[in-house]
Amino acid sequence: MGALLAFVITLADTAYYGTLTFTPFSFLKANLVSGIASFYGANAFHYYLTQGLPILLGPALPFAVLGAWSHFKDVPADRQTPSRRVRSLLLGLVAWTIIVYSFLAHKEWRFIHPLLPILHLFAADYLINLKSKEHTTDRRQPDNRKTNVTFHLPIRRNHLVYFLAVCLPLNLYLIRWHGNAQIAVTRYLHDLSIGSDRVKSIGVLMPCHSIPGQAYLHLPHLATSSSGHHIWELGCEPPLGLNQSQREAYVSQTDVFFETLGPIRYLDRHFPASVDPTFPPSPEPFTTPGSLPPAQGWNHTWPSHFIMFGALENMSSSTEIQDTVGQKLRRMGYKVIRRISNGWEEDQRRRGGVVVWEWTRHIWSSSELIDHHVFEISQCKASAAD
């Protein structure tokens, strides 16, 4: 069966790519042999055991571990029962996946996310067996009348309380607040463009892949055209198709913006000196996947709207440059039209919520910039006091 599936996969991928392709081999070649994975950072070999699985399983971690341990500890007389063979196969799949992914330099917990249902099965199996043993040792006879009208979960009550107390607040936070602003901002701009022509183009000054883009915006007039891009974001494409020396010299656009040049120098170098109120598309606002950055550098036009995290507003390029991104945008005629709060973020570049800037033709004077800066400081102090 495995050979048949591999053959079908090869046929499908070969037909799609137009050349002989076996995806698992291509995956290992690109990530393990060529070292492309390390472009996004390297992690310790034990990452999935010490960090990946705890993040993935959360409160269910101890029960999944105990469930897997019970499989080896409680060996029945008949080792070849169907259920035991299935469990052995599933555990082997988990071990194989973690071992293979551990050889890759770059590791993320989401890479092993498909293992979560399997691990939950072992956690649930352990909890149910624990409850079953409790009933076996309990000599009291249950009241059949109550059993018929009462719903019972097949786990201990203290375990149920534990999951409710830990999982409900955690899931509520993750669903309602964490990363909410990145989604809400796309909805805001979508609604803003309905019934008006305010949204001419959008520039996303965020670490790559911070927002879902057109998958949520659904704005046909911002679709890529032959003349350029009406919506763009800083990229972090891997150095695919490059030779060894090119890969060593390659720096992603996101790293250039935040680190190599810094935000102010990037805006000065890759944007025009003034805003074109017709907001033409940007010719080359990012690096094409599988190629080097444009020889003349990235070529942006000023968009009608910018999306960024609040932390960027106070960034400059170095201690010698006093200008901040917020001050520069105001001098160019932009103003903040929307701030959306966000949950806790580990990455400092993603803090401060999400901010939408719009070009309004109003050029801020020096005195207005100072007054506005003083006002923002007072607002921050007031918020801190509250």
mmCIF file of all heavy atoms in Angstrom, residues 234 253-270 312 315-318 321 323 325 328:
data_model
loop_
_atom_site.group_PDB
_atom_site.id
_atom_site.type_symbol
_atom_site.label_atom_id
_atom_site.label_comp_id
_atom_site.label_asym_id
_atom_site.label_seq_id
_atom_site.Cartn_x
_atom_site.Cartn_y
_atom_site.Cartn_z
ATOM 1 N N LEU A 234 6.841 43.206 3.201
ATOM 2 C CA LEU A 234 8.249 42.834 3.269
ATOM 3 C C LEU A 234 8.369 41.318 3.201
ATOM 4 O O LEU A 234 7.645 40.597 3.879
ATOM 5 C CB LEU A 234 8.872 43.351 4.566
ATOM 6 C CG LEU A 234 8.832 44.868 4.779
ATOM 7 C CD1 LEU A 234 9.382 45.212 6.158
ATOM 8 C CD2 LEU A 234 9.611 45.598 3.693
ATOM 9 N N GLN A 253 14.594 40.556 2.736
ATOM 10 C CA GLN A 253 14.122 41.936 2.756
ATOM 11 C C GLN A 253 13.720 42.363 4.167
ATOM 12 O O GLN A 253 13.976 43.501 4.585
ATOM 13 C CB GLN A 253 12.939 42.086 1.801
ATOM 14 C CG GLN A 253 12.454 43.510 1.618
ATOM 15 C CD GLN A 253 11.274 43.582 0.660
ATOM 16 O OE1 GLN A 253 10.644 42.571 0.369
ATOM 17 N NE2 GLN A 253 10.977 44.770 0.167
ATOM 18 N N THR A 254 13.098 41.469 4.906
ATOM 19 C CA THR A 254 12.706 41.786 6.279
ATOM 20 C C THR A 254 13.918 42.122 7.130
ATOM 21 O O THR A 254 13.904 43.088 7.910
ATOM 22 C CB THR A 254 11.933 40.609 6.898
ATOM 23 O OG1 THR A 254 10.712 40.411 6.177
ATOM 24 C CG2 THR A 254 11.606 40.877 8.355
ATOM 25 N N ASP A 255 14.991 41.337 6.994
ATOM 26 C CA ASP A 255 16.208 41.601 7.768
ATOM 27 C C ASP A 255 16.869 42.907 7.338
ATOM 28 O O ASP A 255 17.422 43.635 8.173
ATOM 29 C CB ASP A 255 17.189 40.441 7.618
ATOM 30 C CG ASP A 255 16.723 39.192 8.350
ATOM 31 O OD1 ASP A 255 15.890 39.329 9.266
ATOM 32 O OD2 ASP A 255 17.176 38.082 8.002
ATOM 33 N N VAL A 256 16.828 43.206 6.043
ATOM 34 C CA VAL A 256 17.395 44.473 5.570
ATOM 35 C C VAL A 256 16.630 45.645 6.175
ATOM 36 O O VAL A 256 17.223 46.632 6.634
ATOM 37 C CB VAL A 256 17.360 44.545 4.025
ATOM 38 C CG1 VAL A 256 17.730 45.945 3.540
ATOM 39 C CG2 VAL A 256 18.311 43.517 3.430
ATOM 40 N N PHE A 257 15.311 45.539 6.192
ATOM 41 C CA PHE A 257 14.486 46.640 6.697
ATOM 42 C C PHE A 257 14.701 46.862 8.192
ATOM 43 O O PHE A 257 14.899 48.000 8.639
ATOM 44 C CB PHE A 257 13.011 46.350 6.420
ATOM 45 C CG PHE A 257 12.072 47.415 6.920
ATOM 46 C CD1 PHE A 257 11.821 48.547 6.161
ATOM 47 C CD2 PHE A 257 11.445 47.292 8.154
ATOM 48 C CE1 PHE A 257 10.962 49.543 6.624
ATOM 49 C CE2 PHE A 257 10.588 48.274 8.623
ATOM 50 C CZ PHE A 257 10.346 49.405 7.857
ATOM 51 N N PHE A 258 14.667 45.793 8.975
ATOM 52 C CA PHE A 258 14.718 45.947 10.426
ATOM 53 C C PHE A 258 16.141 46.002 10.979
ATOM 54 O O PHE A 258 16.352 46.578 12.050
ATOM 55 C CB PHE A 258 13.964 44.799 11.108
ATOM 56 C CG PHE A 258 12.467 44.941 11.059
ATOM 57 C CD1 PHE A 258 11.727 44.248 10.125
ATOM 58 C CD2 PHE A 258 11.806 45.782 11.939
ATOM 59 C CE1 PHE A 258 10.343 44.373 10.076
ATOM 60 C CE2 PHE A 258 10.428 45.922 11.898
ATOM 61 C CZ PHE A 258 9.692 45.219 10.964
ATOM 62 N N GLU A 259 17.120 45.420 10.272
ATOM 63 C CA GLU A 259 18.450 45.299 10.862
ATOM 64 C C GLU A 259 19.552 45.911 9.999
ATOM 65 O O GLU A 259 20.263 46.812 10.449
ATOM 66 C CB GLU A 259 18.763 43.821 11.129
ATOM 67 C CG GLU A 259 17.789 43.168 12.112
ATOM 68 C CD GLU A 259 18.036 41.679 12.267
ATOM 69 O OE1 GLU A 259 19.102 41.209 11.820
ATOM 70 O OE2 GLU A 259 17.166 40.988 12.818
ATOM 71 N N THR A 260 19.718 45.427 8.770
ATOM 72 C CA THR A 260 20.863 45.852 7.959
ATOM 73 C C THR A 260 20.853 47.357 7.708
ATOM 74 O O THR A 260 21.833 48.057 7.999
ATOM 75 C CB THR A 260 20.883 45.101 6.622
ATOM 76 O OG1 THR A 260 20.801 43.692 6.867
ATOM 77 C CG2 THR A 260 22.158 45.411 5.852
ATOM 78 N N LEU A 261 19.767 47.866 7.135
ATOM 79 C CA LEU A 261 19.639 49.303 6.902
ATOM 80 C C LEU A 261 18.939 50.007 8.053
ATOM 81 O O LEU A 261 19.330 51.098 8.460
ATOM 82 C CB LEU A 261 18.864 49.562 5.605
ATOM 83 C CG LEU A 261 19.581 49.309 4.282
ATOM 84 C CD1 LEU A 261 18.649 49.598 3.115
ATOM 85 C CD2 LEU A 261 20.836 50.174 4.175
ATOM 86 N N GLY A 262 17.908 49.397 8.561
ATOM 87 C CA GLY A 262 17.054 50.063 9.533
ATOM 88 C C GLY A 262 15.896 50.729 8.809
ATOM 89 O O GLY A 262 15.987 51.062 7.618
ATOM 90 N N PRO A 263 14.778 50.941 9.493
ATOM 91 C CA PRO A 263 13.570 51.450 8.825
ATOM 92 C C PRO A 263 13.748 52.789 8.115
ATOM 93 O O PRO A 263 13.314 52.951 6.971
ATOM 94 C CB PRO A 263 12.562 51.557 9.974
ATOM 95 C CG PRO A 263 13.035 50.577 10.996
ATOM 96 C CD PRO A 263 14.520 50.600 10.905
ATOM 97 N N ILE A 264 14.383 53.767 8.765
ATOM 98 C CA ILE A 264 14.488 55.099 8.159
ATOM 99 C C ILE A 264 15.368 55.065 6.918
ATOM 100 O O ILE A 264 15.011 55.620 5.864
ATOM 101 C CB ILE A 264 15.029 56.116 9.178
ATOM 102 C CG1 ILE A 264 14.027 56.284 10.328
ATOM 103 C CG2 ILE A 264 15.284 57.464 8.506
ATOM 104 C CD1 ILE A 264 12.683 56.823 9.900
ATOM 105 N N ARG A 265 16.520 54.431 7.013
ATOM 106 C CA ARG A 265 17.397 54.351 5.839
ATOM 107 C C ARG A 265 16.714 53.585 4.706
ATOM 108 O O ARG A 265 16.892 53.923 3.530
ATOM 109 C CB ARG A 265 18.714 53.670 6.214
ATOM 110 C CG ARG A 265 19.647 54.535 7.059
ATOM 111 C CD ARG A 265 21.061 53.991 7.027
ATOM 112 N NE ARG A 265 21.964 54.780 7.854
ATOM 113 C CZ ARG A 265 22.356 54.438 9.075
ATOM 114 N NH1 ARG A 265 21.905 53.314 9.610
ATOM 115 N NH2 ARG A 265 23.181 55.200 9.758
ATOM 116 N N TYR A 266 15.947 52.554 5.050
ATOM 117 C CA TYR A 266 15.241 51.799 4.012
ATOM 118 C C TYR A 266 14.224 52.698 3.304
ATOM 119 O O TYR A 266 14.138 52.707 2.070
ATOM 120 C CB TYR A 266 14.541 50.592 4.627
ATOM 121 C CG TYR A 266 13.883 49.677 3.605
ATOM 122 C CD1 TYR A 266 14.534 48.539 3.156
ATOM 123 C CD2 TYR A 266 12.618 49.966 3.083
ATOM 124 C CE1 TYR A 266 13.949 47.703 2.219
ATOM 125 C CE2 TYR A 266 12.027 49.145 2.142
ATOM 126 C CZ TYR A 266 12.694 48.014 1.719
ATOM 127 O OH TYR A 266 12.106 47.208 0.776
ATOM 128 N N LEU A 267 13.457 53.458 4.070
ATOM 129 C CA LEU A 267 12.459 54.348 3.468
ATOM 130 C C LEU A 267 13.129 55.423 2.615
ATOM 131 O O LEU A 267 12.618 55.791 1.550
ATOM 132 C CB LEU A 267 11.610 54.993 4.562
ATOM 133 C CG LEU A 267 10.705 54.043 5.372
ATOM 134 C CD1 LEU A 267 10.024 54.799 6.506
ATOM 135 C CD2 LEU A 267 9.668 53.375 4.481
ATOM 136 N N ASP A 268 14.254 55.930 3.069
ATOM 137 C CA ASP A 268 14.959 56.965 2.299
ATOM 138 C C ASP A 268 15.547 56.406 1.008
ATOM 139 O O ASP A 268 15.575 57.097 -0.017
ATOM 140 C CB ASP A 268 16.081 57.580 3.145
ATOM 141 C CG ASP A 268 15.545 58.435 4.281
ATOM 142 O OD1 ASP A 268 14.366 58.858 4.195
ATOM 143 O OD2 ASP A 268 16.285 58.665 5.255
ATOM 144 N N ARG A 269 16.005 55.172 1.049
ATOM 145 C CA ARG A 269 16.712 54.607 -0.098
ATOM 146 C C ARG A 269 15.768 54.004 -1.132
ATOM 147 O O ARG A 269 16.026 54.106 -2.337
ATOM 148 C CB ARG A 269 17.703 53.543 0.379
ATOM 149 C CG ARG A 269 18.503 52.896 -0.737
ATOM 150 C CD ARG A 269 19.561 51.955 -0.194
ATOM 151 N NE ARG A 269 20.523 52.653 0.657
ATOM 152 C CZ ARG A 269 21.590 52.065 1.198
ATOM 153 N NH1 ARG A 269 21.812 50.775 0.977
ATOM 154 N NH2 ARG A 269 22.417 52.758 1.964
ATOM 155 N N HIS A 270 14.692 53.383 -0.702
ATOM 156 C CA HIS A 270 13.866 52.601 -1.627
ATOM 157 C C HIS A 270 12.503 53.223 -1.919
ATOM 158 O O HIS A 270 11.681 52.601 -2.593
ATOM 159 C CB HIS A 270 13.673 51.185 -1.077
ATOM 160 C CG HIS A 270 14.957 50.415 -0.936
ATOM 161 N ND1 HIS A 270 15.691 50.007 -2.026
ATOM 162 C CD2 HIS A 270 15.640 50.001 0.165
ATOM 163 C CE1 HIS A 270 16.770 49.352 -1.607
ATOM 164 N NE2 HIS A 270 16.758 49.341 -0.285
ATOM 165 N N LEU A 312 6.993 49.794 15.494
ATOM 166 C CA LEU A 312 7.775 50.383 14.408
ATOM 167 C C LEU A 312 7.719 51.904 14.431
ATOM 168 O O LEU A 312 8.658 52.571 13.979
ATOM 169 C CB LEU A 312 7.266 49.863 13.060
ATOM 170 C CG LEU A 312 7.974 50.390 11.806
ATOM 171 C CD1 LEU A 312 9.451 50.008 11.819
ATOM 172 C CD2 LEU A 312 7.297 49.859 10.544
ATOM 173 N N MET A 315 10.737 53.405 15.963
ATOM 174 C CA MET A 315 12.038 52.912 15.514
ATOM 175 C C MET A 315 12.684 53.906 14.561
ATOM 176 O O MET A 315 12.011 54.618 13.817
ATOM 177 C CB MET A 315 11.890 51.567 14.795
ATOM 178 C CG MET A 315 11.545 50.406 15.692
ATOM 179 S SD MET A 315 11.548 48.847 14.745
ATOM 180 C CE MET A 315 11.015 47.696 16.013
ATOM 181 N N SER A 316 14.016 53.935 14.591
ATOM 182 C CA SER A 316 14.779 54.695 13.609
ATOM 183 C C SER A 316 15.742 53.723 12.944
ATOM 184 O O SER A 316 15.438 52.543 12.814
ATOM 185 C CB SER A 316 15.515 55.855 14.279
ATOM 186 O OG SER A 316 16.404 55.365 15.265
ATOM 187 N N SER A 317 16.889 54.176 12.520
ATOM 188 C CA SER A 317 17.871 53.274 11.923
ATOM 189 C C SER A 317 19.101 53.104 12.790
ATOM 190 O O SER A 317 19.803 52.113 12.690
ATOM 191 C CB SER A 317 18.289 53.779 10.536
ATOM 192 O OG SER A 317 17.230 53.615 9.616
ATOM 193 N N SER A 318 19.379 54.083 13.632
ATOM 194 C CA SER A 318 20.530 54.006 14.522
ATOM 195 C C SER A 318 20.388 55.098 15.569
ATOM 196 O O SER A 318 19.493 55.948 15.496
ATOM 197 C CB SER A 318 21.848 54.176 13.744
ATOM 198 O OG SER A 318 21.928 55.473 13.190
ATOM 199 N N ILE A 321 20.553 58.627 14.146
ATOM 200 C CA ILE A 321 19.389 59.154 13.434
ATOM 201 C C ILE A 321 18.263 59.358 14.436
ATOM 202 O O ILE A 321 17.731 58.407 14.999
ATOM 203 C CB ILE A 321 18.948 58.197 12.311
ATOM 204 C CG1 ILE A 321 20.076 58.031 11.288
ATOM 205 C CG2 ILE A 321 17.688 58.707 11.630
ATOM 206 C CD1 ILE A 321 19.740 57.074 10.167
ATOM 207 N N ASP A 323 15.354 60.743 13.803
ATOM 208 C CA ASP A 323 14.049 60.610 13.171
ATOM 209 C C ASP A 323 13.477 59.224 13.420
ATOM 210 O O ASP A 323 14.194 58.218 13.363
ATOM 211 C CB ASP A 323 14.189 60.840 11.665
ATOM 212 C CG ASP A 323 12.921 61.430 11.073
ATOM 213 O OD1 ASP A 323 12.013 61.764 11.848
ATOM 214 O OD2 ASP A 323 12.848 61.556 9.842
ATOM 215 N N VAL A 325 10.101 56.425 12.511
ATOM 216 C CA VAL A 325 9.205 56.109 11.399
ATOM 217 C C VAL A 325 7.927 56.930 11.498
ATOM 218 O O VAL A 325 7.424 57.460 10.499
ATOM 219 C CB VAL A 325 8.885 54.603 11.382
ATOM 220 C CG1 VAL A 325 7.807 54.289 10.349
ATOM 221 C CG2 VAL A 325 10.148 53.797 11.094
ATOM 222 N N LYS A 328 8.587 60.513 10.371
ATOM 223 C CA LYS A 328 8.798 60.612 8.928
ATOM 224 C C LYS A 328 7.478 60.493 8.168
ATOM 225 O O LYS A 328 7.224 61.248 7.221
ATOM 226 C CB LYS A 328 9.768 59.532 8.455
ATOM 227 C CG LYS A 328 10.043 59.595 6.952
ATOM 228 C CD LYS A 328 11.095 58.618 6.523
ATOM 229 C CE LYS A 328 11.347 58.721 5.016
ATOM 230 N NZ LYS A 328 11.863 60.058 4.606
#
